[in-house]
Amino acid sequence: MGDLTDKELKNLKPRAKLYKVTDRDGMHAAVTPTGVISFRYQYRVNGRQEILTIGRYSAEAARKLTRAPDALEYGMEVSLAEARTLLARARRQVERGESPSKAKVEKRTASAEAFTFGGWAEAYFKHKADPKSGAERLADSTLTMRRSVYDRAIAGELSKLKLGEVTPQRLKRLCDEVKEKRGPAVAVHVREVVLLVFRHAQGCGLDVSNPAESIRTSAIATFEPRERALSPSEVRAVLTALDHVAAAPTLRSAVKFVLLTGVRKSEFIDATWKEIDFAAARWTIPAERMKAGKAHVVPLSDQALDILTAFRIMFGASRYLHPGRYDGDTPISNATLNRVIDTAVERIRETDPDFQSFGVHDLRRTFSTGLNRAKFDDRWIEMSLAHAPRNRIAAIYNVNRYLAERKIMLQCWADMLDAWVKGESARELIADAKRRAAEVHDDELDDDL
């Protein structure tokens, strides 16, 4: 039989068994016992015999204008002319060594998955990994961590569900199970990943509610802040994260300045420019602002002076080192620095979910612990912390002592922080600082005598 015609197709009658009517180029029309006529293409690719169902014949489609090739897909109802257009596409795929039958299955699967949570999760990860996504693109470490959470704790339970089937109750149940099996940090990240996948779907125009928004993080797990000192590796993580958080550069520098100087939060917040002596590299905090009621002198390292120089350029019109955002006549609020720290912690947890929270007061504790671990003279450390002397005689004698030694120690501390950020050891820095501090002459001894 030669090339088929529409008239011949319309006259094909069903039989007790399926039969075939040959067309051309390997395509035939298969007629089922129920009268359904399908166009099929038989071919060999990579040594295998395969059959592609091009589409179902439709007399109605035959009466309409032939659709453009881009509008045609394997498996749809088509006219004879449209079937031959799809046949030509399939033959080109075979010539390239591709399997049109396999491609059809993969496209159908992808289409089905596009409406599932798993399909949207893949779309989210693809978007966040794409260099063309600009600011939306995630760091590889963050993306890898979220993908790990998805693969290990989410995909098995939610990937095949339609978005509407991922209810708050189902998500909360999953978070509880993950918390029991893998710990609270992973459970919190399960909620976070689901939240972000749904937001991506919504951003793509899908009208769907986000189940994660109905679940508070605290309903899954809470991480109680604890008093602690940051280790060198944690200091490195924090200072590195600060460079990338969405906060004003001066606020990021303010957090580091507190760590450099070891002062209390209130001592920094209310600090004014008249307390700073750039020439002597000293910051003198007046007695009325000190907890012990005595003036406190803070030797300033080069790094601290650099930060103050930037502050001076930015806030020279204000009396405060760092004024509030909207009013130069008032200092920043008590909560501002902690908010910056919390943002840095959130960023760190993208790659280290178990990183513990901390506050401004922990920077002072880190300052103290770091210097004590370096085995600097505890008298210098106590004076730097402005701790009240144990007796009245010591209080009179020690008000302005150890400034030279403390200046060397605080410069060493600043250099230690820089070394840790670079992933380097501070051992030689500490040894050199101790040597130089030991050579300082006690110029106040004559006054005592």
Side-chain angles (χ1 to χ4, degrees):
M1 191 172 181
D3 291 356
L4 283 170
T5 65
D6 278 304
K7 182 177 180 180
E8 291 171 338
L9 286 168
K10 293 174 185 176
N11 291 330
L12 292 175
K13 302 300 180 184
R15 300 176 185 173
K17 294 183 178 180
L18 181 145
Y19 68 95
K20 304 175 184 178
V21 181
T22 302
D23 182 45
R24 68 185 188 198
D25 296 329
M27 185 173 80
H28 64 264
V31 185
T32 69
T34 59
V36 175
I37 302 173
S38 296
F39 296 108
R40 298 180 180 179
Y41 170 43
Q42 189 167 343
Y43 58 93
R44 293 186 68 84
V45 62
N46 298 324
R48 297 189 306 274
Q49 187 78 29
E50 295 183 357
I51 295 178
L52 168 70
T53 299
I54 291 176
R56 180 180 296 185
Y57 175 69
S58 168
E60 183 179 351
R63 290 192 294 269
K64 296 180 180 180
L65 291 174
T66 300
R67 287 167 286 189
D70 290 345
L72 302 176
E73 298 291 346
Y74 299 133
M76 62 193 311
E77 291 190 347
V78 293
S79 67
L80 175 59
E82 291 171 339
R84 286 171 177 163
T85 298
L86 288 171
L87 170 65
R89 180 189 300 175
R91 286 172 60 83
R92 288 194 296 272
Q93 288 178 287
V94 172
E95 289 173 0
R96 294 194 298 266
E98 300 172 2
S99 168
S101 180
K102 183 179 179 181
K104 174 186 173 182
V105 172
E106 290 176 347
K107 186 163 186 176
R108 183 171 63 240
T109 301
S111 177
E113 288 182 348
F115 297 96
T116 65
F117 179 82
W120 280 108
E122 294 301 329
Y124 165 77
F125 289 124
K126 181 178 179 180
H127 174 68
K128 292 298 183 180
D130 189 352
K132 297 179 181 178
S133 296
E136 285 284 302
R137 186 185 183 189
L138 289 175
D140 290 342
S141 57
T142 301
L143 196 63
T144 300
M145 186 275 297
R146 290 182 182 171
R147 165 65 83 172
S148 174
V149 171
Y150 173 75
D151 290 341
R152 292 184 298 114
I154 302 175
E157 297 295 327
L158 303 184
S159 64
K160 295 182 180 180
L161 299 179
K162 303 292 185 183
L163 290 185
E165 295 176 321
V166 184
T167 62
Q169 294 79 11
R170 189 190 293 266
L171 175 57
K172 179 60 167 62
R173 186 164 59 250
L174 174 60
C175 289
D176 290 342
E177 292 172 355
V178 171
K179 179 181 178 181
E180 180 68 24
K181 183 178 179 180
R182 302 181 183 276
V186 180
V188 167
H189 272 77
V190 165
R191 174 196 174 275
E192 181 75 6
V193 172
V194 172
L195 176 78
L196 295 171
V197 169
F198 269 85
R199 283 183 178 172
H200 178 71
Q202 291 169 331
C204 291
L206 200 67
D207 184 14
V208 61
S209 61
N210 194 329
E213 291 179 346
S214 301
I215 304 172
R216 297 191 310 275
T217 301
S218 59
I220 301 171
T222 57
F223 300 91
E224 293 295 332
R226 58 185 178 89
E227 293 187 350
R228 68 194 191 93
L230 303 179
S231 67
S233 62
E234 289 176 321
V235 168
R236 179 186 184 187
V238 171
L239 295 181
T240 301
L242 278 173
D243 287 338
H244 299 90
V245 299
T250 55
L251 289 175
R252 302 199 297 260
S253 293
V255 173
K256 185 174 182 180
F257 185 79
V258 172
L259 180 58
L260 285 167
T261 57
V263 298
R264 299 177 179 88
K265 180 169 66 172
S266 62
E267 293 164 2
F268 168 75
I269 287 176
D270 294 324
T272 60
W273 287 113
K274 68 179 182 180
E275 300 170 4
I276 304 298
D277 184 342
F278 279 97
R282 293 180 185 177
W283 169 22
T284 303
I285 307 174
E288 59 269 21
R289 292 208 306 108
M290 292 301 300
K291 183 177 180 181
K294 295 185 180 296
H296 177 52
V297 178
V298 181
L300 296 170
S301 64
D302 290 341
Q303 291 87 332
L305 287 169
D306 288 344
I307 291 174
L308 288 178
T309 300
F311 286 174
R312 189 65 172 173
I313 293 172
M314 293 293 296
F315 309 122
S318 172
R319 60 190 289 258
Y320 294 102
L321 301 191
H322 198 306
R325 181 177 180 183
Y326 301 108
D327 186 355
D329 294 329
T330 60
I332 56 175
S333 71
N334 277 326
T336 300
L337 296 186
N338 274 325
R339 283 199 296 267
V340 176
I341 290 173
D342 289 344
T343 304
V345 170
E346 288 178 8
R347 184 176 182 86
I348 295 169
R349 284 179 177 168
E350 292 175 355
T351 52
D352 182 4
D354 296 323
F355 192 92
Q356 295 296 308
S357 300
F358 68 96
V360 177
H361 64 284
D362 292 314
L363 297 177
R364 179 174 165 85
R365 187 172 290 104
T366 300
F367 173 91
S368 173
T369 302
L371 292 175
N372 275 291
R373 283 176 178 168
K375 296 182 180 179
F376 280 103
D377 192 310
D378 59 0
R379 294 170 298 175
W380 307 348
I381 298 171
E382 291 299 294
M383 287 295 294
S384 295
L385 293 168
H387 284 166
R390 292 186 177 86
N391 58 69
R392 179 174 172 274
I393 296 176
I396 296 172
Y397 183 73
N398 287 327
V399 166
N400 288 312
R401 292 209 62 197
Y402 307 125
L403 278 177
E405 294 93 337
R406 289 199 289 126
K407 180 174 179 59
I408 293 172
M409 181 178 72
L410 265 66
Q411 182 59 59
C412 180
W413 171 243
D415 294 338
M416 288 166 63
L417 298 181
D418 288 346
W420 292 344
V421 169
K422 297 175 184 177
E424 299 173 354
S425 170
R427 189 182 300 275
E428 292 185 8
L429 294 171
I430 296 169
D432 179 65
K434 287 180 179 178
R435 177 187 56 75
R436 288 185 289 114
E439 295 173 355
V440 171
H441 297 290
D442 192 348
D443 295 329
E444 296 179 3
L445 186 58
D446 291 339
D447 293 334
D448 178 54
L449 294 174

